[in-house]
Amino acid sequence: MPVPIFSTGIVWLKGEGPRSDIVMSSRVRLARNFAGFPFVNRCKRTDRSQVLDLAKRHLLDLQLSPQLLWIELIGLPQLERSLLVERHLISTQHSKGEEPRAVAVSTPDETLSIMVNEEDHLRIQVIRSGLALSEAFEQIDAIDDRIEDRIDFAYSPRFGYLTACPTNVGTGIRVSVMLHLPGLRITGEIEKVKRAAESMCLAVRGFYGEGSEAVGDFFQLSNQTTLGKSERAVLQDFEHRIIPKIIEYERLARRSLMEKRRHILEDQVFRALGTLRYARQLKADEALQLLSLARLGVHCGLLPDVNPSTINELILLVQSAHLQKAIRREIDQAERRIERARLVRSRIGAPQT
Amino acid sequence: MPVPIFSTGIVWLKGEGPRSDIVMSSRVRLARNFAGFPFVNRCKRTDRSQVLDLAKRHLLDLQLSPQLLWIELIGLPQLERSLLVERHLISTQHSKGEEPRAVAVSTPDETLSIMVNEEDHLRIQVIRSGLALSEAFEQIDAIDDRIEDRIDFAYSPRFGYLTACPTNVGTGIRVSVMLHLPGLRITGEIEKVKRAAESMCLAVRGFYGEGSEAVGDFFQLSNQTTLGKSERAVLQDFEHRIIPKIIEYERLARRSLMEKRRHILEDQVFRALGTLRYARQLKADEALQLLSLARLGVHCGLLPDVNPSTINELILLVQSAHLQKAIRREIDQAERRIERARLVRSRIGAPQT
């Protein structure tokens, strides 16, 4: 087992940090490529292996974190790969195929992960709890500098860092936040906000990033283009102008629900808690939707006895790979629904019956 | 307030008696008319008043029960009338209009009720918990004899007792049971059973009798014709042949669910309990449906901590008129939903939150 099933040390699950009632996590990632090697999609297997070896040697040697776990994906069972995807440590794309590839993960905090041979040679990611993009950026910037001391990155004085996909050329930076927007979904304003975000050239994605659907009112927002802007300019605009605006919309929606439709809101929140505590079968999507409502209830002060970090942890643990790791065997969908409900009950304090 | 909001003495709510896991209550009613008066639909107001006076004098004088409450419907507020309908003490038809009419009710057990000037001059009804038609019949037969000692009933040596509707001519008897058939609904066999019952000349009705829909898997089954059969023959056939067969079908359905689809059954039952304990708003039909599932769970042994009589009581108390009597004021539908959920939580032991 390359990573533990669940560590209370995972930073982005703590539900701490600024505005963590709405911002689950902040993430900064840099795309970097080694000079002298073709991009991954043009690489032969031997090139990929060389990149992998080079990355492994330097990354482990640099001691970028007290405990950096090196996980090669070749031969890794599907369940372990899914576990990494569910943890947001690797992309779905990176989890597929048998070409030489790896991910380095700082444990137990999991704030730093570096995918090797995904779309670019290196995809360095720092993730934080709440709205903490600047903090994440300072950390990733320092790490980037330290890696660049050892490895020559593909760089053009004119364009900046060169990347496999043109949208990443320049700074190679992507900043994103995972937002929890149940208020806007209930008031019916979520589509308007999504369109507004898209008109500001932001990508709006689901819980698992690129190509995934929104479940449980979780939306990942990220910048789309990086060329022609400095890292700090991208980040400032995102963190101090765009995201606060969306947070403000969600806050207004929640306030309006609490003031004008409190009975409806309470009913939805408490029914969700009741189902979480009593259901004997739960589908993954339904569980996330119920947890979303419970999370909303917690942050609106309706569920003072429910611990917000329990909800955040469950959002991770109800997912299929985590569930199967928790019970130590692979099970079919029908059994997963039963085990998922059992897990939820055991964590969220189902009473006597 | 003519009848108390809720009395723990109401016999048919106790959930006792034979086969009370499936048979909520057994009811026998006799249709009788006074000789020398037109049927009610042909009566002038003065005739109706005379019938009413005559009935009141004799019924109260006879001391048919230790405490017989005489309730006149003229001028009775709508809420009080609805309360009597919800208690199955009068028909919906009897609750409407301002012609002289009344109902006599034995309190606090409410086993005996006599509608005066409904479709017939007298509609005598005895209701019992569980499958206890013979017992109900013995009681009503004795009452009928005692009334007949005082009042001449319209009777033809050829046809028997004469009634306003030809289907009641003869014995004037109707026997009915309120069945709880959630197992057959879940297995999808309920329509088949209803058709079979109808082919045996039984009327299948909803929770509130004639013209009402089935809610919460409660079905009232009754005989349709009375002419040409003795009271005892009607009753024997119903109690010892037909109803036991339907009970057996329901038992088989429950057993099959417990053996082959236990996870699905448990999930439905516990979700229902969770919603009953947590919802902040409940519509009447939804409440009855959830209570039906909880009742099924109790009788399948899935909810050992839930008291079956609590469920039966709630089935009565969640109804609109009872709800409003309980909180001592008339409220609109939106507020009823909130108060209904509050009442259910307070009775069915919602835990801490």
Side-chain angles (χ1 to χ4, degrees):
Chain A
M1 193 166 56
V3 285
I5 303 165
F6 177 70
S7 150
T8 48
I10 300 177
V11 161
W12 68 270
L13 278 183
K14 294 201 176 185
E16 293 168 353
R19 304 174 187 194
S20 58
D21 55 332
I22 292 169
V23 185
M24 284 279 281
S25 60
S26 297
R27 182 160 34 170
V28 178
R29 90 56 188 135
L30 297 176
R32 295 290 183 261
N33 288 279
F34 294 180
F37 287 91
F39 290 138
V40 177
N41 58 348
R42 297 292 184 104
C43 263
K44 290 187 191 129
R45 195 171 178 96
T46 49
D47 290 328
R48 293 197 192 202
S49 293
Q50 278 186 43
V51 167
L52 198 68
D53 291 344
L54 209 59
K56 181 175 184 178
R57 178 150 47 89
H58 290 301
L59 294 179
L60 292 179
D61 203 39
L62 276 166
Q63 300 196 314
L64 296 170
S65 86
Q67 258 195 300
L68 196 71
L69 202 62
W70 178 261
I71 305 164
E72 303 227 356
L73 275 86
I74 287 186
L76 196 68
Q78 185 51 49
L79 189 60
E80 305 287 337
R81 294 173 186 228
S82 300
L83 200 74
L84 295 169
V85 173
E86 291 177 1
R87 287 280 256 283
H88 298 283
L89 294 171
I90 65 173
S91 61
T92 309
Q93 180 191 337
H94 200 52
S95 76
K96 290 176 182 158
E98 286 300 332
E99 300 82 14
R101 62 183 68 188
V103 62
V105 179
S106 70
T107 60
D109 62 312
E110 299 185 13
T111 50
L112 170 66
S113 69
I114 305 171
M115 287 190 281
V116 183
N117 284 336
E118 202 240 24
E119 190 178 285
D120 296 295
H121 295 147
L122 295 187
R123 285 277 177 106
I124 310 164
Q125 168 183 285
V126 165
I127 190 164
R128 292 270 167 191
S129 190
L131 186 59
L133 285 165
S134 299
E135 194 187 355
F137 178 74
E138 297 310 326
Q139 187 184 345
I140 208 167
D141 195 37
I143 288 165
D144 184 41
D145 287 348
R146 291 184 62 200
I147 301 173
E148 207 164 8
D149 284 344
R150 300 276 196 112
I151 302 171
D152 262 356
F153 287 147
Y155 185 84
S156 141
R158 183 165 167 211
F159 296 117
Y161 290 104
L162 300 177
T163 54
C165 176
T167 59
N168 292 312
V169 168
T171 59
I173 199 173
R174 173 159 288 172
V175 294
S176 66
V177 287
M178 184 71 77
L179 297 173
H180 183 221
L181 305 175
L184 290 166
R185 199 251 312 151
I186 296 173
T187 61
E189 295 164 294
I190 190 71
E191 288 304 320
K192 209 170 66 186
V193 170
K194 278 167 75 174
R195 280 197 301 275
E198 279 157 3
S199 76
M200 288 184 285
C201 285
L202 300 179
V204 182
R205 300 190 166 116
F207 192 57
Y208 301 108
E210 208 155 340
S212 72
E213 291 286 309
V215 281
D217 311 315
F218 295 103
F219 300 89
Q220 193 194 89
L221 257 75
S222 55
N223 70 312
Q224 297 255 46
T225 53
T226 59
L227 190 62
K229 286 187 185 173
S230 78
E231 283 107 330
R232 282 176 212 276
V234 166
L235 192 129
Q236 285 291 319
D237 193 44
F238 198 70
E239 185 166 31
H240 296 293
R241 193 178 65 88
I242 296 170
I243 298 305
K245 194 156 280 177
I246 296 174
I247 291 172
E248 187 53 31
Y249 287 143
E250 172 66 18
R251 287 250 165 81
L252 282 173
R254 292 184 186 185
R255 206 172 305 142
S256 148
L257 287 171
M258 281 295 278
E259 282 165 14
K260 294 178 199 151
R261 295 160 70 187
R262 178 155 179 160
H263 286 304
I264 294 169
L265 180 66
E266 282 190 346
D267 188 49
Q268 288 196 21
V269 163
F270 278 98
R271 278 175 184 251
L273 184 62
T275 304
L276 288 167
R277 285 185 168 168
Y278 281 82
R280 261 49 185 173
Q281 295 190 31
L282 281 172
K283 294 182 190 176
D285 279 7
E286 187 192 9
L288 282 174
Q289 190 54 56
L290 296 168
L291 288 166
S292 165
L293 282 165
R295 195 176 191 278
L296 174 65
V298 166
H299 290 297
C300 286
L302 297 175
L303 304 177
D305 299 335
V306 176
N307 191 331
S309 67
T310 303
I311 305 280
N312 285 356
E313 285 165 24
L314 278 173
I315 287 166
L316 185 68
L317 294 176
V318 296
Q319 297 175 68
S320 294
H322 276 80
L323 193 64
Q324 292 174 87
K325 286 303 280 188
I327 65 162
R328 294 159 194 269
R329 62 196 170 91
E330 292 194 41
I331 49 179
D332 66 12
Q333 193 184 57
E335 211 179 332
R336 283 206 295 277
R337 290 178 181 169
I338 293 166
E339 291 298 335
R340 184 177 290 117
R342 199 192 307 274
L343 174 87
V344 169
R345 288 202 306 281
S346 76
R347 294 244 169 189
I348 209 165
Q352 64 274 23
T353 42
Chain B
M1 191 166 55
V3 286
I5 302 163
F6 176 70
S7 150
T8 48
I10 300 178
V11 161
W12 67 271
L13 277 183
K14 294 200 175 186
E16 292 168 354
R19 303 173 187 195
S20 57
D21 55 333
I22 293 168
V23 186
M24 284 280 281
S25 61
S26 297
R27 182 160 34 169
V28 178
R29 95 47 193 139
L30 297 176
R32 296 290 183 259
N33 288 279
F34 294 180
F37 287 93
F39 290 137
V40 177
N41 58 348
R42 297 290 185 106
C43 265
K44 291 186 190 131
R45 197 171 176 96
T46 50
D47 291 326
R48 292 197 194 204
S49 292
Q50 278 186 44
V51 167
L52 199 68
D53 292 343
L54 209 59
K56 181 175 183 179
R57 177 151 45 89
H58 291 300
L59 293 179
L60 292 178
D61 203 39
L62 276 166
Q63 300 198 311
L64 296 170
S65 86
Q67 257 196 301
L68 195 72
L69 202 63
W70 179 262
I71 306 165
E72 302 227 357
L73 274 84
I74 286 185
L76 195 68
Q78 185 53 48
L79 189 60
E80 305 288 337
R81 294 172 186 230
S82 301
L83 201 73
L84 295 170
V85 172
E86 292 178 0
R87 288 280 256 284
H88 299 283
L89 294 172
I90 65 172
S91 61
T92 309
Q93 182 192 335
H94 200 52
S95 76
K96 290 175 183 160
E98 287 300 331
E99 300 82 13
R101 62 183 67 188
V103 63
V105 179
S106 70
T107 60
D109 61 312
E110 299 184 15
T111 50
L112 170 66
S113 70
I114 305 172
M115 287 189 284
V116 183
N117 284 336
E118 202 237 26
E119 191 178 283
D120 297 294
H121 296 147
L122 297 186
R123 285 277 176 105
I124 311 163
Q125 168 183 285
V126 166
I127 190 164
R128 294 269 165 190
S129 189
L131 185 60
L133 286 166
S134 299
E135 194 187 355
F137 179 75
E138 297 310 326
Q139 187 183 345
I140 208 168
D141 194 37
I143 288 165
D144 184 40
D145 287 348
R146 291 184 62 199
I147 300 173
E148 207 164 7
D149 284 345
R150 301 275 196 115
I151 301 171
D152 261 355
F153 287 148
Y155 185 84
S156 142
R158 183 166 167 211
F159 297 117
Y161 291 103
L162 300 176
T163 55
C165 178
T167 59
N168 292 315
V169 169
T171 60
I173 199 173
R174 173 158 290 172
V175 294
S176 67
V177 287
M178 185 69 80
L179 297 173
H180 183 221
L181 306 176
L184 289 167
R185 200 252 312 150
I186 297 173
T187 61
E189 295 164 294
I190 191 70
E191 287 306 320
K192 209 168 68 187
V193 169
K194 278 168 74 175
R195 280 196 302 275
E198 278 156 4
S199 76
M200 290 184 286
C201 285
L202 299 180
V204 182
R205 299 190 166 116
F207 191 58
Y208 301 107
E210 207 155 339
S212 72
E213 291 285 309
V215 282
D217 311 315
F218 295 103
F219 300 89
Q220 193 193 90
L221 257 75
S222 55
N223 70 311
Q224 297 255 46
T225 53
T226 59
L227 190 63
K229 284 187 187 174
S230 77
E231 283 108 329
R232 281 178 214 275
V234 166
L235 193 130
Q236 284 292 318
D237 193 44
F238 197 70
E239 184 165 33
H240 297 296
R241 194 178 64 87
I242 296 170
I243 298 306
K245 195 156 278 177
I246 295 174
I247 292 172
E248 186 54 31
Y249 287 143
E250 173 66 18
R251 287 250 164 83
L252 281 173
R254 293 185 186 184
R255 207 172 304 142
S256 148
L257 287 170
M258 282 294 278
E259 281 165 14
K260 294 178 196 149
R261 294 159 70 188
R262 179 155 179 160
H263 286 305
I264 295 169
L265 180 66
E266 283 190 344
D267 187 49
Q268 289 196 21
V269 164
F270 278 98
R271 279 175 184 250
L273 183 64
T275 304
L276 288 167
R277 286 186 167 166
Y278 282 81
R280 262 51 185 170
Q281 295 191 31
L282 281 172
K283 294 182 190 176
D285 279 8
E286 187 193 10
L288 281 175
Q289 189 54 55
L290 295 169
L291 288 166
S292 166
L293 283 165
R295 195 176 192 277
L296 175 65
V298 166
H299 290 296
C300 286
L302 297 174
L303 304 177
D305 299 335
V306 176
N307 191 332
S309 68
T310 303
I311 305 280
N312 285 356
E313 285 165 24
L314 278 173
I315 286 166
L316 185 69
L317 295 176
V318 296
Q319 297 174 67
S320 294
H322 276 80
L323 194 63
Q324 292 174 87
K325 286 303 280 188
I327 66 162
R328 291 158 194 271
R329 62 196 171 92
E330 292 194 41
I331 49 178
D332 67 12
Q333 194 184 57
E335 210 178 333
R336 283 207 295 277
R337 290 178 182 170
I338 293 166
E339 291 298 335
R340 185 175 289 117
R342 199 192 307 274
L343 173 87
V344 169
R345 288 201 306 282
S346 76
R347 294 244 168 189
I348 208 165
Q352 65 275 19
T353 40

